[in-house]
Amino acid sequence: MTSETMKSKTMNKLSRSQGFTLIEIMVVMVILGLLVAIVAPNIMGRSDEAKVTIAKTQLKNIQSALDLYRLDNSQYPSTQQGLEALVSKPSGSPEPKNWNPEGYMKNVPEEPGGNEFQYVSPGTEGPYDLYSYGSDGQEGGEGDAADLSVWQARD
């Protein structure tokens, strides 16, 4: 065989192996489609669960800060002083006698839906009520729009 013939055969092999056939591309697309169809529903449904879990954790953190506030000041902040009393020294009654100069939280977190947590002191069934209206910001609801109270957060 001459060197030209060998070059020609090598060129033919290279030109045939430099791309994918339509069938190969279609097989890859079908496999990717199946993977997306199997995995996507499992991931998509988790965002609501994650928001509820975050809200419960935030409620527990606020509850802990409120308990520390009470330990230092012998009472919880009033409704008027609100949760902001955990971040900066509140004015008004009841005056905090031993307020921690570093505060009890760096900031008051917002619910995952962007709404504020609700705080009322004294509460209907205890020293305070701490709750979230959920992602819709309205009383009631289901899923991530369901109301959460500090008592549910203790679970």
Side-chain angles (χ1 to χ4, degrees):
M1 240 187 226
T2 66
S3 68
E4 267 189 49
T5 310
M6 289 189 63
K7 282 184 186 179
S8 175
K9 285 185 179 184
T10 306
M11 294 291 277
N12 285 339
K13 284 182 184 179
L14 286 176
S15 64
R16 277 190 250 137
S17 66
Q18 285 186 346
F20 295 105
T21 65
L22 182 59
I23 293 174
E24 290 171 328
I25 292 172
M26 294 297 287
V27 168
V28 170
M29 295 301 288
V30 168
I31 292 171
L32 288 175
L34 288 172
L35 285 173
V36 168
I38 292 170
V39 174
N42 294 330
I43 293 173
M44 299 305 267
R46 301 276 184 196
S47 66
D48 289 349
E49 289 177 34
K51 288 179 184 178
V52 170
T53 302
I54 290 169
K56 285 182 179 181
T57 302
Q58 289 173 327
L59 282 170
K60 287 179 186 178
N61 291 341
I62 294 170
Q63 181 181 16
S64 295
L66 283 167
D67 290 342
L68 288 172
Y69 181 99
R70 185 184 62 81
L71 284 173
D72 286 350
N73 301 292
S74 302
Q75 55 199 349
Y76 292 104
S78 67
T79 301
Q80 291 77 23
Q81 291 169 326
L83 296 176
E84 205 50 47
L86 301 174
V87 177
S88 58
K89 185 173 182 177
S91 59
S93 180
E95 182 180 338
K97 300 188 187 319
N98 273 336
W99 192 84
N100 184 344
E102 295 177 13
Y104 300 91
M105 299 183 87
K106 290 186 180 185
N107 58 12
V108 179
E110 287 185 343
E111 299 173 8
N115 302 314
E116 293 182 4
F117 287 102
Q118 306 300 308
Y119 173 77
V120 178
S121 178
T124 55
E125 295 185 27
Y128 63 86
D129 291 340
L130 177 62
Y131 54 95
S132 160
Y133 283 137
S135 64
D136 63 356
Q138 299 176 2
E139 194 170 345
E142 295 180 15
D144 69 337
D147 295 352
L148 294 172
S149 70
V150 75
W151 311 116
Q152 288 174 313
R154 286 185 176 196
D155 294 341

